[in-house]
């Protein structure tokens, strides 16, 4: 009976085995290809971010593993159809005609989910790197200013114009900033190493691509328009936007206060304690502004990334038509990845 069915399968095709798997044709007809929209990470207005996300997707072993499992499924389905014929494959194969599209769709969803996860992780890690780079850059920019403060305080103390405490405060300010800068640079280096791991790069090479100081991206979208009324993070995002606006205004006032305090101290009509407090307050406001902006951008990108997921399914369509399989072709799939 098996021989007769096999012969019937070949005869129906003019004596040749089926060259294209019917199961894949049916799946393709049921799910016509949809033009993928430009991925959000290419529209975020930051070419470095776009390059790193693409690099991470290309280098991700998890994404490659799931794509390998999908392609292996396609090859096995094609081989079954070619070797046995459609009728015999339907009778004897482990996968029924109805199961194949469902099983394939599930594998496509696994690839898409992994691509979405990898892109989001890279974007959030990138934002954190930029935040820490700005943190370190701000502290570094104050090193020369604080050393100048210490020098002015020493000259004025030696001239008997100010008490000794001015010199002590100035030295403390200078030494504290040097220590804080070292900590900030260490955190930045650690964040770069983590981002390098996600994109499959060396930390030294990635640091060169990032440049310094880092600039936070500013997505060309309205955050509150991206976060619809049903988005649970909408209220927090609105608070972050207001907080960023308030801090931006406060920073302008804090910088004016520092300028006035420095002028007063140099002219001998102000105390170093006033200058010390004014500069510390201005730095705190500026660091808070950087963090608020980073939070707003990270939340916006995270919400935006879930708006249109078609890009994550791009290039995963089944191959329709005659399939030429090399006898020595192999696909390596890591156990458990699918």
């Amino acid at each position: 009976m098996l021989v007769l069915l096999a012969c019937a399968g070949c005869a129906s095709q003019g004596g040749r085995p089926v060259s294209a798997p019917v199961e894949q044709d049916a799946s393709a007809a049921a799910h016509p290809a949809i033009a993928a929209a430009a991925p959000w990470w290419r529209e975020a207005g930051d070419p470095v971010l776009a390059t790193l996300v693409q690099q991470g997707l290309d280098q991700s072993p998890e994404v490659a593993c799931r794509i390998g499992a999908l392609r292996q499924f396609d090859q096995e389905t094609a081989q079954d159809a070619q070797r046995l014929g459609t009728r015999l494959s339907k009778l004897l194969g482990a996968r029924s005609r109805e199961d194949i599209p469902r099983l394939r769709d599930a594998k496509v969803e696994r690839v898409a989910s992994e691509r979405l996860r990898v892109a989001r992780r890279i974007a959030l890690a990138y934002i954190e790197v930029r935040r820490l780079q700005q943190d370190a850059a701000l502290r570094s920019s104050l090193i020369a200013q604080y050393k100048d403060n210490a020098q002015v305080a020493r000259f004025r103390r030696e001239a008997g114009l100010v008490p000794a405490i001015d010199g002590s405060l100035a030295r403390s300010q200078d030494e504290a900033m040097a220590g804080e800068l070292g900590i900030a640079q260490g955190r930045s280096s650690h964040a770069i190493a983590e981002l390098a791991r996600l994109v499959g790069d060396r930390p030294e090479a990635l640091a060169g691509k990032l440049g310094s100081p880092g600039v936070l991206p500013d997505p060309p979208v309205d955050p509150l328009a991206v976060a619809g009324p049903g988005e649970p993070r909408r209220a927090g995002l609105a608070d972050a936007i207001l907080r960023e606006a308030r801090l931006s205004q406060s920073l302008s006032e804090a910088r004016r206060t520092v300028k006035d305090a420095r002028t007063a101290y140099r002219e001998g009509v102000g105390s170093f304690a006033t200058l010390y407090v004014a500069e510390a307050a201005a730095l705190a406001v500026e660091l808070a502004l950087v963090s608020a902006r980073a939070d707003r951008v990270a939340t916006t990108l995270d919400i935006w990334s879930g708006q249109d997921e078609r890009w994550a399914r791009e290039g995963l369509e089944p191959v329709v038509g005659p399939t030429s399989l090399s006898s020595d072709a192999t696909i390596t799939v890591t156990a458990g990845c699918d």
Side-chain angles (χ1 to χ4, degrees):
M1 179 178 179
L2 297 181
V3 173
L4 291 174
L5 286 172
C7 291
C10 292
S12 66
Q13 297 296 324
R16 293 174 298 176
V18 178
S19 61
V22 176
E23 291 85 351
Q24 289 192 10
D25 285 346
S27 176
H31 301 278
I34 300 175
W40 56 269
W41 39 272
R42 288 182 185 163
E43 300 294 316
D46 189 323
V48 178
L49 172 61
T51 299
L52 292 180
V53 172
Q54 185 63 63
Q55 179 179 335
L57 291 170
D58 293 341
Q59 297 292 329
S60 170
E62 292 84 2
V63 171
C65 184
R66 283 163 173 75
I67 292 177
L70 174 65
R71 296 311 179 198
Q72 185 176 43
F73 177 87
D74 287 343
Q75 283 202 6
E76 290 174 353
T77 303
Q79 286 173 334
D80 287 346
Q82 289 176 337
R83 185 168 54 249
L84 300 175
T86 303
R87 300 182 195 174
L88 190 58
S89 177
K90 181 178 178 181
L91 178 64
L92 301 178
R95 308 181 184 107
S96 71
R97 185 183 181 91
E98 293 76 16
D99 285 340
I100 288 177
R102 177 179 57 80
L103 292 171
R104 191 181 194 284
D105 286 347
K107 292 181 180 296
V108 168
E109 287 306 310
R110 291 190 184 101
V111 177
S113 296
E114 190 61 27
R115 281 175 168 175
L116 292 167
R117 187 186 71 85
V118 169
R120 281 177 172 175
R121 286 188 64 187
I122 292 172
L124 295 179
Y126 176 76
I127 297 302
E128 179 64 6
V129 165
R130 289 308 197 193
R131 183 186 73 81
L132 292 173
Q133 280 186 315
Q134 287 202 354
D135 184 308
L138 285 173
R139 298 181 191 279
S140 179
S141 68
L142 293 173
I143 290 292
Q145 180 176 315
Y146 287 0
K147 287 188 179 301
D148 180 67
N149 288 349
Q151 186 176 23
V152 171
R154 180 171 62 83
F155 287 157
R156 290 176 62 78
R157 179 179 59 81
E158 290 175 352
L161 300 175
V162 296
I165 193 173
D166 280 25
S168 299
L169 280 175
R171 287 194 304 272
S172 297
Q173 183 187 50
D174 183 25
E175 293 170 0
M177 179 52 65
E180 291 172 1
L181 175 59
I183 294 172
Q185 290 172 335
R187 290 173 177 165
S188 178
S189 297
H190 179 75
I192 290 174
E194 174 61 17
L195 179 58
R197 184 187 67 80
L198 292 175
V199 302
D201 208 342
R202 293 181 299 105
E204 299 80 9
L206 178 59
K209 297 175 185 177
L210 292 170
S212 181
V215 178
L216 282 165
D218 192 10
V221 293
D222 181 356
L224 296 181
V226 170
E231 170 58 52
R233 290 170 289 181
R234 180 182 173 85
L237 184 58
D239 289 342
I241 294 172
L242 291 176
R243 183 169 66 253
E244 185 180 349
R246 288 195 298 266
L247 286 169
S248 182
Q249 182 178 358
S250 297
L251 180 59
S252 299
E253 297 172 357
R255 285 174 173 171
R256 286 195 298 269
T257 301
V258 169
K259 182 179 179 180
D260 293 342
R262 285 178 64 79
T263 300
Y265 185 70
R266 285 176 172 275
E267 294 177 354
V269 294
S271 67
F272 188 83
T274 300
L275 175 60
Y276 184 99
V277 171
E279 289 179 327
L283 175 60
V285 171
E286 193 152 9
L287 291 175
L289 177 58
V290 170
S291 293
R293 184 170 294 131
D295 289 344
R296 187 255 302 169
V297 172
T299 304
T300 300
L301 290 182
D302 198 34
I303 297 173
W304 191 18
S305 65
Q307 300 294 310
D308 190 342
E309 301 177 354
R310 286 178 295 169
W311 69 268
R313 298 173 181 82
E314 191 175 19
L316 302 180
E317 299 80 7
V319 177
V320 179
T323 305
S324 175
L325 297 177
S326 172
S327 59
D328 58 350
T330 59
I331 296 179
T332 302
V333 179
T334 305
C337 80
D338 197 36

